[in-house]
Amino acid sequence: MTQQEIQEGKTFAIVAYITFIGLIVAIIKNLNQKNPFTAFHVRQMIGLVLLLIFSNLTEKYVNSWLGTMLWFGTFILWVYGIITAVRGEAKLIPFFGKLFQEWFQNIGK
């Protein structure tokens, strides 16, 4: 990834982390531009949304405290992701980032 690609994709990489609607906007915008930096962060955020859904389901159907802890962990990972996007870095989210990149590899290509 070049510095130019990072600069061009930085805005929508950040937008991807701002609510579910921001994620959809970043995906749609990146369909035409095919920016690798934006695509990287879109894949990270899709994974975080899935983690959030999993934590909510865990909280409701398995154990309230466990679900809350998973939600808190997801929130921390979200903060990490948005900070790396703002800094112009393509760092994987701890624990799950590599999996998210593999699972959603076709997004942004």
Side-chain angles (χ1 to χ4, degrees), residues 4-46 78 81-82 84-89 107-108:
Q4 180 180 352
E5 290 172 330
I6 291 170
Q7 285 306 110
E8 290 173 356
K10 190 174 182 179
T11 300
F12 285 104
I14 295 167
V15 167
Y17 287 101
I18 302 174
T19 74
F20 185 70
I21 294 171
L23 176 61
I24 299 300
V25 168
I27 290 170
I28 291 170
K29 190 67 175 175
N30 203 45
L31 287 175
N32 296 329
Q33 294 178 347
K34 306 273 189 220
N35 183 283
F37 185 71
T38 301
F40 174 87
H41 285 285
V42 162
R43 289 189 293 266
Q44 295 292 283
M45 185 57 182
I46 289 172
W78 173 81
I82 197 166
T84 61
V86 168
R87 289 182 177 171
E89 300 170 342
I107 295 175

Side-chain angles (χ1 to χ4, degrees), residues 51-107:
L51 276 177
L52 179 63
I53 292 168
F54 178 74
S55 70
N56 288 339
L57 291 173
T58 302
E59 184 175 18
K60 184 170 182 164
Y61 296 111
V62 179
N63 183 299
S64 178
W65 285 103
L66 178 60
T68 301
M69 295 305 289
L70 290 172
W71 182 92
F72 186 69
T74 302
F75 177 76
I76 291 170
L77 294 175
W78 173 81
V79 169
Y80 178 82
I82 197 166
I83 288 171
T84 61
V86 168
R87 289 182 177 171
E89 300 170 342
K91 290 185 178 178
L92 294 171
I93 289 172
F95 309 111
F96 301 105
K98 185 175 178 182
L99 292 172
F100 295 162
Q101 292 301 314
E102 290 173 11
W103 293 346
F104 310 117
Q105 63 185 323
N106 292 327
I107 295 175

